[in-house]
Amino acid sequence: MDIRKRIRIGDLLIEAKLISEAQLTAALHEQKKTRRKLGKTLIDLGFIQESQLLQLLSQQLKIPYLDLNQVPIDKDIFRLLPEILARRFRAIALKEHNGKILVGMADPTDIYAYDELQKTLKRPIDVAAISESDLLRHLDSDYRKTEQIGSLAEELEGELAETDFDLQALTQSTSTADAPVVKLLQAIFEDAVSMQASDIHIEPDATLLRIRLRIDGVLQEQTVDESRIANALTSRLKLMSGLNISEKRLPQDGRFNIKVKNKGIDVRLSTMPMVHGESVVMRLLDHSQGQLDFSKLNIPTHIIEPLNKLIRKPHGLILVTGPTGSGKTTSLYAALNEINTPSSKIITAEDPVEYQLPRINQVQVHEKIGLTFPAVLRTALRQDPDIILIGEMRDTETVEIGLRAAMTGHLVFSTLHTNDAISTIGRLMDMEAEDFLIASSLQAVLAQRLVRKLCPECKEVHELDELNVVWLSQVLGNVQLPPFHRAVGCHLCNMTGYKGRTGVYELLIMNSKLANAIQHDDRTMFTQLAKQQQHGQTLTLNAIKLAEEGITSIEEVLRIAGDIEIDTPSSSSPQASNA
């Protein structure tokens, strides 16, 4: 293809017998008045159709003629061409192929536009003929003033104060008196990020300062002999959080963003007055990890498959249960990310908002000013939502509104503090939820825990002691036990024997029999039917399976099983036979 060769459109059209000599003369006369291109003038006068002209040029120039409505557009390539140039040259960047960018042009004979487009895109281009009317519709819908809005946003951002604290820059710009405090904070945050800690605890004592990091759910302590720095450390953190540094008698909550090792970390801070000063606890949320999805949660196949169907139902209530720190919020965010589409309106009521998710309308509950869960939910239901997430069902009013929302055509997600899936129903009833509401609204309960994973470098096989053997026999029945592994400790796991955590899950799906038992307030019948429905796939049994696979230890299984009522299956149960 070579669009650089001179094309006399009028002569081509006459030669193809698409227009007459008289029509060409009339068009040239009109062109002198309007100064429009000849092809556009012929189309406006009705002498020829746009498609006829483009097909002729396509044949003459040996370029494709494309219908923009049928061509997929690569958004990344599309954005390479600024809107102002796209409109000036009547062109659109479509996709990249064989090192060249395919550009659709309403006038492929425009040599000047061809050269300018190639300079702008900084790559060789191939040209296709396209309809100008289709092009303009695409430019209006796809650009949608994004360039202008982006430019204004950048201009405004430059006038606002920076909200992220770059500790390296802060160290260089701070006063001499504050420099040691900032350097200490920098060391603490860098250590926490490198160890993948979820929380930092700063606790002043009479003669020393304790700094503890929560790693894989367990606190690890470091002490600093100098206790006088606690006040300076707390004051600096309060300044970063926008809190009142003179108020030391009352608890305060705040948040700030920092950059540590090129990672953006959102820090939620809480202070509490203690005997020897103020205790500070910071929750670290690493936004550089990206959005979560189910594939990263290691949910077993027999749970993830039905769960994927449940979260796509048009209405109903899905509860995630477990104690604090069991990963409930992570599971809920993963579910929302899975179903977060432009066609769904999602509203959340959270306390606090841990991760900010795109396209999701997130509301931070603030009880001091009356912005409670029930208040947010009542307003949310008037915002035409498809999906609602309630951070936690804390009281009777929240439970009732959530259940009624699920019954009236909304998909509702929420959390509850219960030991297992079966006990969730009793908890809802204890919160005075009406039986018929639970029976008609509740779709499923996902109960979960987090267990630490054995360090793959240092774990070793060992024989169980007699107490563990007796306990496993009670849970699994009289079966041959496989070899189990235990934690040892090495430099890779900071001598803990564990590295990372994984989830343990159980899923209870509601059916007509379970709903009928709830409606008749028959908890005994419900429990019996629920145990049959779970087919031995309980939290404890699923945790034991992880220990059998060498992923975790029996000690971790016992830790999470301690607060769960263990149902001893018969030796014919699927779990027992597999063991």
Side-chain angles (χ1 to χ4, degrees), residues 489-550:
C490 65
H491 68 283
L492 287 176
C493 59
N494 201 27
M495 302 306 296
T496 62
Y498 297 95
K499 194 169 181 63
R501 290 190 290 178
T502 189
V504 182
Y505 307 89
E506 71 175 12
L507 180 65
L508 177 64
I509 302 174
M510 297 298 293
N511 55 36
S512 57
K513 291 182 179 179
L514 293 173
N516 188 54
I518 293 172
Q519 278 192 304
H520 289 85
D521 196 15
D522 191 341
R523 299 195 188 188
T524 303
M525 178 57 70
F526 174 84
T527 300
Q528 291 175 357
L529 293 171
K531 287 178 179 179
Q532 293 174 15
Q533 194 247 64
Q534 285 185 313
H535 299 300
Q537 296 290 350
T538 63
L539 279 168
T540 301
L541 295 174
N542 287 331
I544 291 173
K545 191 172 189 306
L546 290 177
E548 291 174 352
E549 295 171 355

Side-chain angles (χ1 to χ4, degrees), residues 219-503:
L219 285 172
Q220 297 183 15
E221 182 175 290
Q222 177 183 0
T223 60
V224 179
D225 291 335
E226 183 57 70
S227 61
R228 291 178 298 172
I229 65 171
N231 286 336
L233 209 57
T234 303
S235 296
R236 169 58 69 175
L237 289 169
K238 282 183 175 181
L239 283 171
M240 294 169 70
S241 306
L243 302 180
N244 183 0
I245 61 172
S246 63
E247 179 57 76
K248 299 180 180 182
R249 298 168 300 171
L250 296 174
Q252 295 187 71
D253 295 316
R255 68 190 306 163
F256 58 91
N257 299 316
I258 58 171
K259 294 176 182 176
V260 183
K261 295 186 174 181
N262 295 321
K263 289 184 176 182
I265 307 293
D266 186 15
V267 182
R268 289 207 330 263
L269 179 141
S270 171
T271 69
M272 178 176 287
M274 309 295 284
V275 175
H276 299 290
E278 290 180 276
S279 168
V280 178
V281 176
M282 293 177 283
R283 168 64 57 88
L284 308 182
L285 303 171
D286 185 357
H287 294 300
S288 65
Q289 293 179 349
Q291 296 183 358
L292 291 168
D293 55 56
F294 280 139
S295 64
K296 296 179 181 177
L297 298 184
N298 299 317
I299 302 177
T301 304
H302 69 273
I303 293 178
I304 193 66
E305 289 180 353
L307 198 57
N308 264 316
K309 295 177 182 177
L310 286 165
I311 65 174
R312 286 171 172 81
K313 286 198 169 189
H315 56 82
L317 172 65
I318 297 175
L319 288 173
V320 181
T321 71
T324 301
S326 58
K328 300 187 297 296
T329 303
T330 299
S331 295
L332 287 175
Y333 281 152
L336 289 186
N337 280 330
E338 197 76 14
I339 55 177
N340 183 9
T341 63
S343 60
S344 296
K345 170 88 170 186
I346 303 176
I347 300 178
T348 75
E350 304 173 66
D351 185 21
V353 175
E354 292 195 7
Y355 289 95
Q356 296 177 11
L357 305 175
R359 203 188 293 116
I360 295 179
N361 302 271
Q362 296 173 269
V363 181
Q364 169 72 58
V365 169
H366 197 331
E367 295 191 357
K368 289 182 180 179
I369 63 172
L371 192 63
T372 61
F373 277 111
V376 173
L377 288 176
R378 289 193 202 96
T379 305
L381 290 171
R382 295 194 290 270
Q383 291 277 313
D384 188 29
D386 299 293
I387 301 161
I388 298 172
L389 184 147
I390 307 169
E392 183 184 344
M393 288 191 164
R394 294 177 178 175
D395 52 61
T396 300
E397 191 177 7
T398 305
V399 170
E400 184 177 352
I401 296 174
L403 287 169
R404 291 190 181 277
M407 192 173 64
T408 55
H410 305 87
L411 182 60
V412 180
F413 294 91
S414 190
T415 69
L416 206 60
H417 291 285
T418 60
N419 289 336
D420 55 19
I422 294 176
S423 62
T424 301
I425 306 304
R427 176 79 174 122
L428 289 173
M429 291 179 174
D430 293 340
M431 295 177 76
E432 301 178 7
E434 297 182 66
D435 297 343
F436 81 93
L437 277 178
I438 302 172
S440 58
S441 301
L442 186 63
Q443 294 287 343
V445 180
L446 177 71
Q448 65 181 73
R449 295 288 192 282
L450 291 176
V451 294
R452 290 184 294 171
K453 296 192 294 183
L454 287 167
C455 174
E457 296 298 322
C458 62
K459 68 179 180 180
E460 65 179 22
V461 177
H462 78 120
E463 290 187 11
L464 298 178
D465 60 37
E466 187 176 348
L467 287 176
N468 287 339
V469 172
V470 171
W471 181 78
L472 285 169
S473 298
Q474 290 176 346
V475 175
L476 298 176
N478 189 18
V479 296
Q480 180 67 39
L481 294 175
F484 289 92
H485 292 76
R486 68 175 176 185
V488 178
C490 65
H491 68 283
L492 287 176
C493 59
N494 201 27
M495 302 306 296
T496 62
Y498 297 95
K499 194 169 181 63
R501 290 190 290 178
T502 189

Side-chain angles (χ1 to χ4, degrees), residues 124-181:
I125 65 173
D126 283 332
V127 172
I130 57 172
S131 162
E132 184 174 5
S133 54
D134 288 345
L135 168 69
L136 293 176
R137 278 198 299 271
H138 269 273
L139 296 183
D140 290 338
S141 63
D142 291 341
Y143 281 108
R144 296 177 61 188
K145 300 292 182 183
T146 53
E147 187 180 68
Q148 181 182 357
I149 293 172
S151 176
L152 290 171
E154 287 181 7
E155 183 179 340
L156 180 60
E157 185 180 25
E159 296 178 5
L160 295 175
E162 180 66 50
T163 57
D164 282 10
F165 288 92
D166 188 334
L167 289 172
Q168 189 69 42
L170 194 61
T171 303
Q172 297 170 359
S173 63
T174 193
S175 66
T176 305
D178 286 345
V181 177

Side-chain angles (χ1 to χ4, degrees), residues 13-148:
L13 292 171
I14 291 175
E15 186 180 336
K17 298 182 180 180
L18 293 175
I19 61 171
S20 64
E21 289 279 2
Q23 288 174 325
L24 176 59
T25 302
L28 289 171
H29 181 71
E30 181 68 18
Q31 185 188 21
K32 290 179 180 179
K33 297 179 183 177
T34 62
R35 296 186 179 277
R36 291 183 178 178
K37 293 185 177 182
L38 179 60
K40 178 66 174 173
T41 303
L42 288 165
I43 294 169
D44 291 343
L45 291 173
F47 294 159
I48 189 175
Q49 294 182 359
E50 185 180 28
S51 58
Q52 290 177 305
L53 175 60
L54 290 173
Q55 285 172 354
L56 178 66
L57 291 175
S58 171
Q59 294 169 3
Q60 186 69 24
L61 296 172
K62 295 183 173 58
I63 61 174
Y65 168 50
L66 300 178
D67 181 356
L68 271 186
N69 299 319
Q70 304 296 325
V71 178
I73 298 175
D74 186 328
K75 293 296 183 183
D76 292 332
I77 298 299
F78 170 81
R79 294 189 186 97
L80 294 177
L81 185 61
E83 180 181 5
I84 188 171
L85 295 182
R87 293 187 182 277
R88 179 189 301 169
F89 299 132
R90 293 294 192 260
I92 183 171
L94 298 171
K95 61 181 180 180
E96 187 174 13
H97 181 67
N98 292 334
K100 294 184 177 181
I101 294 179
L102 178 62
V103 177
M105 297 180 66
D107 182 9
T109 65
D110 190 334
I111 298 173
Y112 172 75
Y114 177 91
D115 289 338
E116 289 300 312
L117 288 168
Q118 195 155 247
K119 289 178 185 176
T120 301
L121 295 172
K122 298 177 182 178
R123 268 178 266 181
I125 65 173
D126 283 332
V127 172
I130 57 172
S131 162
E132 184 174 5
S133 54
D134 288 345
L135 168 69
L136 293 176
R137 278 198 299 271
H138 269 273
L139 296 183
D140 290 338
S141 63
D142 291 341
Y143 281 108
R144 296 177 61 188
K145 300 292 182 183
T146 53
E147 187 180 68
Q148 181 182 357

